[in-house]
Amino acid sequence: MSVSAVPPVSESQHAAPDEVRAVVTRFLSRYVDDPQSLVGVRLLTGGLLDSLAAVELIGHLERTFGLVMLDEDLDIDNFDSLDAITAFVGRKLDR
Amino acid sequence: MSPGHDQELAREFLRRQSDARALGAMVPPAHGGLGLSHAEYGEINRVVAEVSPSRQSLLTVHGMVCRALARWGTPAQRAEFLPELATGAVTGAFALTEEGAGSDVRRVALRARRTAGGWVLDGRKQWLTFGRTAQLFLVFARAEDAPEAAHPAGLPGGGGGHVALLVRRDDPGVYLRPAPPTSGFADAELAELELRDCRVPEGRALGRPGTALTHVAADSLVLGRLCVAFGASGLARAALSAALRRSVQREQFTGPLHRLQLVRGLLADAAVAVDGAELLCRRAARALDDRDEWAMSHVLTAKLAASRAATTATRTAAQLHGAAGLVDGGEVDRQVRDARVLEIIEGSTELLQDLVAEQALARHRADAAAEHSPRTPELRGGSHAA
């Protein structure tokens, strides 16, 4: 089994928005030639990332931040940009 | 689970399809299912497909519906649907493909209109595996009131505006008819589904509009592809056995066929393909069970390799049977036809090649990035590696 690039962070630990954003950016960079192309765009509805990347991102957030994704979290607005993903992870960790 | 239990569940499923315990394999125990691992469910699929790839395909689609509900259903949806799916009292069908939407699922055009009391559906779905006998359909539709719905189909975009809805067979406006007879999957009860002014009540959507293709379908397809991969490896093993039997029994020239060098070449290539398929399937299942970060990549690789192994092995079996392999509906003829199906469903070989290449590139980029920043960033405190 391969090991996640980042050790899991328990929900009790604090992860600053910049750190969350860095983790997400590093993960999504594997799907694009230029990581800069991830900035300021609609990642999914804009067509930059495909559905496999979308599903793998969920798994990565669960593994890395110890999140449990609920049915109510399945909203495209939570996953469509770096800002949205960062804010979503922040809200989940604060709960 | 005790060793051999998956074999027992597979045999039971082959004996009594309607209420076999294997139908509850992907349902959590809290809802009356077995909650099996991917490795165990894969083995059941493999063993069933050695006998009948058609019937194994019920495990694929039913499992996908169970998984979608277990993963993304609300507590109320899980409580309503999963217990009946777990016993097999209700079987599920995956309604994604349309006349204009095959490999490119973003072209799904079946219309879903929001109303005060729920949704109204209009449109057609094709090639529903075990659709004729299903009582619950996971229908992927284009939500008309979503902003992205105005975009013409085919433009780049994610799953914008699409919604996944649970439709019962006895909902008003549900019409089923048998699909045209196919050369493979003869016993897969293929159906066409037409929804005309079909009204489903509130509480039937999985996730919110916009996530149906990007998350619900894509996640279900991970399990679907694993099932097809295991099914293909089972068919491939059965075909290899048929080829080996024939090579021992059939005598031509100075002895049995297996003494001929060209025949040995065919047998060797088939044996290597089958062994490889089995190993890749088991690696993929273990990766899913372990939540390995490259699990999806392993599933795609297994599906591509195993469906091709089925083609290789069935072609070898047919070739060694000579004219006897051409008999319409005979064992090896059916195996060849079913193998064709497995290179199409849950992603054609060419689509899978595209996805496997993407995963290989992702792995390459991730490895290169790790080399450039060997220190693992710490997510504690306030600093991080850029």
Side-chain angles (χ1 to χ4, degrees):
Chain A
M1 173 179 167
S2 1
V3 177
S4 176
V6 178
V9 177
S10 78
E11 290 183 46
S12 61
Q13 289 173 314
H14 177 70
D18 281 357
E19 296 165 353
V20 173
R21 193 181 169 93
V23 168
V24 172
T25 303
R26 195 155 44 240
F27 177 73
L28 294 180
S29 293
R30 63 176 58 169
Y31 300 111
V32 293
D33 287 323
D34 177 12
Q36 273 301 314
S37 65
L38 297 164
V39 178
V41 297
R42 293 199 305 170
L43 298 169
L44 297 171
T45 61
L48 185 66
L49 300 178
D50 66 14
S51 57
L52 295 188
V55 169
E56 289 185 299
L57 172 65
I58 296 231
H60 188 72
L61 297 178
E62 289 179 328
R63 281 191 303 270
T64 307
F65 297 106
L67 304 182
V68 177
M69 218 59 78
L70 304 174
D71 57 279
E72 66 203 41
D73 298 324
L74 195 55
D75 186 331
I76 199 73
D77 291 340
N78 287 335
F79 306 106
D80 210 16
S81 69
L82 287 180
D83 288 346
I85 300 165
T86 304
F88 168 72
V89 171
R91 286 196 303 277
K92 290 284 284 184
L93 291 175
D94 284 346
R95 267 179 222 165
Chain B
M1 190 161 72
S2 61
H5 190 53
D6 41 12
Q7 302 257 344
E8 181 191 322
L9 290 170
R11 284 194 297 273
E12 185 201 59
F13 176 77
L14 285 164
R15 279 198 310 273
R16 40 191 296 176
Q17 196 163 303
S18 62
D19 58 351
R21 286 173 295 163
L23 291 168
M26 289 288 101
V27 176
H31 295 288
L34 299 176
L36 296 191
S37 67
H38 294 93
E40 290 163 332
Y41 197 50
E43 280 303 297
I44 295 172
N45 278 267
R46 187 184 65 75
V47 173
V48 170
E50 284 184 359
V51 178
S52 171
S54 283
R55 295 182 70 180
Q56 178 267 319
S57 68
L58 174 59
L59 295 176
T60 301
V61 294
H62 181 79
M64 288 164 77
V65 174
C66 292
R67 178 181 174 112
L69 263 160
R71 182 81 170 98
W72 302 118
T74 63
Q77 288 169 335
R78 294 200 298 269
E80 179 183 352
F81 295 103
L82 285 176
E84 57 193 21
L85 288 164
T87 62
V90 163
T91 54
F94 199 73
L96 179 61
T97 302
E98 298 178 9
E99 170 70 27
S103 295
D104 184 3
V105 295
R106 292 170 306 177
R107 289 177 180 267
V108 161
L110 187 142
R111 297 189 307 278
R113 185 161 49 85
R114 204 85 174 86
T115 63
W119 298 84
V120 180
L121 300 170
D122 280 286
R124 291 182 180 193
K125 293 289 180 180
Q126 289 185 328
W127 308 122
L128 275 72
T129 301
F130 279 87
R132 279 191 239 173
T133 53
Q135 290 91 36
L136 184 66
F137 302 90
L138 182 55
V139 176
F140 294 86
R142 185 177 285 272
E144 287 199 330
D145 59 352
E148 290 83 358
H151 291 184
L155 285 183
H162 286 94
V163 60
L165 291 158
L166 294 157
V167 176
R168 285 193 183 273
R169 189 190 187 112
D170 55 7
D171 283 330
V174 174
Y175 302 90
L176 276 171
R177 67 178 68 86
T182 51
S183 65
F185 265 30
D187 302 322
E189 305 284 354
L190 300 176
E192 293 180 2
L193 172 70
E194 182 173 354
L195 302 177
R196 281 205 305 262
D197 197 31
C198 171
R199 290 165 188 273
V200 298
E202 203 64 60
R204 292 283 192 87
L206 286 184
R208 303 219 176 122
T211 56
L213 302 179
T214 52
H215 293 85
V216 180
D219 184 65
S220 296
L221 280 166
V222 176
L223 177 65
R225 285 167 177 153
L226 184 79
C227 291
V228 172
F230 270 96
S233 80
L235 171 59
R237 177 62 70 186
L240 176 60
S241 296
L244 291 166
R245 264 197 316 274
R246 175 75 172 179
S247 76
V248 171
Q249 291 169 355
R250 174 75 168 168
E251 298 207 356
Q252 290 291 283
F253 303 105
T254 59
L257 289 182
H258 71 74
R259 292 194 188 152
L260 301 170
Q261 278 193 324
L262 290 176
V263 169
R264 296 173 80 82
L266 289 174
L267 292 174
D269 288 350
V272 169
V274 174
D275 278 357
E278 288 176 354
L279 291 168
L280 289 171
C281 285
R282 287 173 184 149
R283 178 181 74 162
R286 270 199 314 275
L288 283 174
D289 288 330
D290 293 343
R291 298 170 61 80
D292 184 307
E293 71 167 312
W294 296 103
M296 191 177 315
S297 175
H298 294 328
V299 171
L300 295 167
T301 300
K303 199 281 185 185
L304 180 60
S307 58
R308 282 173 152 176
T311 297
T312 300
T314 56
R315 189 181 294 153
T316 293
Q319 204 61 15
L320 296 196
H321 280 75
L326 299 172
V327 174
D328 191 6
E331 184 192 15
V332 292
D333 178 54
R334 279 187 288 115
Q335 289 176 336
V336 169
R337 296 173 179 202
D338 285 339
R340 274 277 291 132
V341 178
L342 298 175
E343 285 211 50
I344 293 171
I345 58 172
E346 267 67 21
S348 67
T349 290
E350 293 71 25
L351 179 66
L352 265 292
Q353 286 178 303
D354 182 56
L355 299 176
V356 168
E358 185 60 37
Q359 291 290 322
L361 286 163
R363 188 84 185 234
H364 169 74
R365 292 187 189 110
D367 289 347
E371 273 177 31
H372 284 106
S373 53
R375 276 198 68 247
T376 304
E378 288 289 332
L379 285 185
R380 301 153 203 241
S383 63
H384 67 277

